Amino acid sequence: MSDKKKTTIVLFSGDYDKAMAAYIIANGAAAYDHEVTIFHTFWGLNALRKEEQVPVQKGFLEKMFAKMMPRGADKMGLSKMNFAGMGPKMIKKVMKKHQAMPFPQLAEMAQEQDVKLIACTMTMDLLGLKKDELIEDIDYAGVAAYIGDAEEGNINLFI
């Protein structure tokens, strides 16, 4: 067992602002030398989706989910004040003005800091997501892997 503190985050939400918060906390914890895990499940998996369309075999319902879900974090809506897609544009403009790091850079930083990004395999099966549709250098596991990390966690969050 390591002496390092551990932070685990379940990212359930598919909202841009909530995903950003999860990654900001993850990067902060990693900077404080915590071992960090983000377990992406249900709509949180959208943060791991590639922006480009990937040709994969899917059934009818899987194709419908794929069309309804945003491809990549930059396409996710806000939890409040989405305004038919105008909210994310406005918040990104404000972030740029204040030189806040956009989500794609937060995700890159998390990977550079060895934050363990896990895609929930059960949810991938339910929603028809394939590994080829998700970004590179992530882990794939079920809830037992998250529980294994969380039971030793000093900080456990559900976002």
Side-chain angles (χ1 to χ4, degrees):
M1 187 166 125
S2 169
D3 287 341
K4 266 189 165 184
K5 292 191 182 267
K6 294 187 179 192
T7 296
T8 64
I9 300 169
V10 174
L11 181 56
F12 177 86
S13 175
D15 297 321
Y16 183 84
D17 47 329
K18 292 178 183 178
M20 273 201 63
Y23 275 77
I24 289 168
I25 293 166
N27 281 309
Y32 273 92
D33 205 30
H34 285 215
E35 286 180 27
V36 183
T37 298
I38 305 177
F39 184 75
H40 300 75
T41 190
F42 283 89
W43 318 121
L45 282 168
N46 291 321
L48 298 177
R49 286 185 78 192
K50 292 177 181 172
E51 289 188 22
E52 69 275 2
Q53 187 166 358
V54 178
V56 291
Q57 290 285 72
K58 292 185 179 228
F60 176 75
L61 285 176
E62 294 169 332
K63 286 180 186 175
M64 294 305 296
F65 272 123
K67 286 187 185 309
M68 291 187 290
M69 295 187 313
R71 265 199 293 279
D74 258 355
K75 303 276 190 298
M76 295 182 345
L78 294 179
S79 60
K80 305 278 188 225
M81 299 183 292
N82 196 46
F83 301 128
M86 286 304 296
K89 288 181 176 84
M90 292 186 310
I91 197 73
K92 288 173 191 173
K93 186 174 181 173
V94 169
M95 287 170 55
K96 188 174 183 177
K97 178 182 173 187
H98 292 280
Q99 299 174 346
M101 193 175 291
F103 187 88
Q105 286 179 290
L106 286 170
E108 282 177 32
M109 179 187 285
Q111 286 184 304
E112 288 168 6
Q113 293 195 87
D114 294 323
V115 170
K116 189 191 310 182
L117 305 179
I118 301 176
C120 176
T121 51
M122 182 198 74
T123 305
M124 287 175 65
D125 290 343
L126 287 174
L127 300 178
L129 286 172
K130 311 292 184 213
K131 288 182 180 181
D132 291 346
E133 295 178 276
L134 303 182
I135 63 174
E136 308 297 321
D137 301 320
I138 62 173
D139 294 329
Y140 299 88
V143 71
Y146 170 75
I147 296 298
D149 286 345
E151 71 182 351
E152 297 177 9
N154 302 93
I155 301 170
N156 299 301
L157 304 172
F158 186 92
I159 299 175

